[in-house]
Amino acid sequence: MSAEEHRERVRASLLDWYQAHRRELPWRKDSDPYAVWVSEMMLQQTQVATVIPYFERWLTLFPDVATLAAAEEADVLHAWQGLGYYSRARNLLKGARAVVSEHAGRVPADVEQLRALPGVGPYTAGAIASIAHNRAEPTVDGNVIRVLSRLYALEGDPTKAAPKRRLWELAAELVPASAPGDFNQALMELGATVCTPRAPRCEGCPVEGSCLARARGTVELRPPPRKRGPVPHVHVLSLVVWTAEARTLLVQRPERGLLAGLWEFPARELAGPPDPGRCASPLPPVEHVFSHLKATYHPLLIRMEDPPDSAEAALERVGAEGARPRWVTVPEAEVLALPVAQQKILAALAGVGR
């Protein structure tokens, strides 16, 4: 079988399978470029089941590019609250404003113009161009890496330059001129539901007969497993001030770095777990796993009977630092952009603070 015959066989098999077995997802109802863009940004580093309610709520709040471009960043971050990787939300907002100012409110079809938008890399640009604009552009995400690595029995770390380049070359060769969006989604769908990292269902795979790794018995070795080091574990003391007027103290995180610009209880990083005797509190610890570390937040409830009117003075009184300190009630805090761990602390405070 020639290389082109192999490609045609893979294309036909995958497209037939996709039409019969694809999941019904809200962003697949139509090919609106804005909706495709939003979905692809949300799906970065986040599972489909988690994204669905966020996507639907987002389109209710910000139904088109113009509405998003006119929104306040605080409202955008609040809508994103709980999805993590908040730079994606900021990039969507910046990108929407760029589309309005530079492209007359229309999400571009050209890959280079798409890549010029904040936060849009090769994968997202290819997805938008192919799915929303029917352009024969390749796209390579984690699922596609796994499918192509097995289909062609590729060796080497796919994060390295040469193997990565080869994957994009193969994806470009495979994507058909007709139905490129469906084909790219078929590759991703296959990786998500059949050609999974562990225990792939090769017997139900539409391209089993074309898969070199299957023929060679190396499916579990493709792509090569990555060695991961131990995940750092940090402990954070969260100072939860509570007043007789049912107000608490929040500060805003720096504009750069982890959870940039979000709100939190004043905090101090600890060298290890706190001494239970010295930090007794009715608020339970909260654990949260980020992509690169695990954090345990230890909330210390501080009842302040005579709080100063100035949030800055209150912050100084408890020996903490932070930007833009503010007194808030629980309902006021609930409309701010709070990371998931801080939301859990706030919920616990609402239960015992009174």
Side-chain angles (χ1 to χ4, degrees):
M1 182 188 302
S2 69
E4 182 55 33
E5 289 172 334
H6 179 267
R7 285 192 288 268
E8 285 298 330
R9 181 176 176 181
V10 168
R11 289 167 186 154
S13 299
L14 265 179
L15 285 169
D16 287 346
W17 172 84
Y18 180 68
Q19 292 303 321
H21 298 284
R22 69 178 186 175
R23 291 170 292 179
E24 293 301 320
L25 301 173
W27 46 87
R28 289 179 177 166
K29 292 179 180 178
D30 58 49
S31 56
D32 172 52
Y34 170 68
V36 172
W37 180 18
V38 171
S39 70
E40 291 299 337
M41 294 292 282
M42 287 187 170
L43 287 165
Q44 294 173 15
Q45 307 291 329
T46 309
Q47 294 182 346
V48 166
T50 301
V51 166
I52 290 173
Y54 281 92
F55 174 82
E56 294 175 332
R57 185 164 60 248
W58 183 279
L59 286 192
T60 299
L61 294 170
F62 315 113
D64 50 44
V65 173
T67 305
L68 177 58
E72 295 292 333
E73 182 179 281
D75 295 330
V76 171
L77 292 176
H78 189 261
W80 197 271
Q81 184 173 282
L83 266 182
Y85 300 95
Y86 288 84
S87 61
R88 295 178 295 171
R90 288 191 175 86
N91 284 332
L92 265 173
L93 177 57
K94 293 175 186 175
R97 290 171 176 170
V99 167
V100 168
S101 63
E102 300 170 18
H103 301 284
R106 296 185 179 88
V107 178
D110 179 76
V111 166
E112 293 307 315
Q113 290 181 334
L114 286 166
R115 290 194 60 181
L117 298 176
V120 176
Y123 160 73
T124 305
I128 297 171
S130 62
I131 298 169
H133 295 294
N134 206 36
R135 297 285 185 94
E137 296 287 351
T139 189
V140 177
D141 71 346
N143 286 316
V144 174
I145 287 172
R146 187 165 55 257
V147 171
L148 295 184
S149 293
R150 290 170 174 171
L151 190 60
Y152 292 96
L154 300 178
E155 299 182 4
D157 183 348
T159 65
K160 303 299 183 183
K164 182 188 294 186
R165 184 166 55 250
R166 181 58 180 150
L167 282 163
W168 278 94
E169 290 171 352
L170 289 170
E173 292 170 2
L174 272 174
V175 64
S178 60
D182 279 355
F183 180 78
N184 283 336
Q185 290 183 93
L187 276 176
M188 292 185 277
E189 188 85 338
L190 188 72
T193 62
V194 175
C195 194
T196 51
R198 298 175 186 83
R201 297 188 295 107
C202 294
E203 294 79 5
C205 178
V207 294
E208 180 188 8
S210 303
C211 180
L212 290 179
R214 175 67 167 166
R216 297 173 185 176
T218 59
V219 170
E220 298 286 354
L221 302 178
R222 302 288 177 266
R226 296 177 62 188
K227 294 181 180 179
R228 299 183 182 274
V231 177
H233 187 178
V234 300
H235 292 267
V236 179
L237 181 66
S238 295
L239 304 176
V240 184
V241 178
W242 187 249
T243 74
E245 294 82 20
R247 295 188 301 168
T248 191
L249 192 63
L250 293 181
V251 297
Q252 192 171 32
R253 290 185 62 84
E255 289 301 319
R256 295 184 180 275
L258 185 67
L259 303 173
L262 303 188
W263 292 85
E264 67 178 1
F265 293 95
R268 303 175 193 157
E269 189 166 329
L270 303 171
D275 182 345
R278 297 182 62 185
C279 295
S281 174
L283 302 175
V286 173
E287 292 192 347
H288 188 76
V289 179
F290 297 92
S291 61
H292 61 297
L293 63 84
K294 176 181 178 181
T296 301
Y297 296 88
H298 303 272
L300 177 60
L301 182 62
I302 302 172
R303 295 187 182 273
M304 196 174 283
E305 299 299 332
D306 58 339
D309 291 334
S310 165
E312 289 79 3
L315 193 63
E316 184 177 355
R317 183 184 292 186
V318 296
E321 297 180 353
R324 298 180 63 192
R326 112 176 3 177
W327 285 116
V328 294
T329 63
V330 170
E332 289 170 342
E334 289 173 344
V335 301
L336 295 175
L338 297 176
V340 171
Q342 307 300 308
Q343 294 176 49
K344 292 179 180 178
I345 295 173
L346 182 69
L349 173 63
V352 305
R354 296 173 180 81

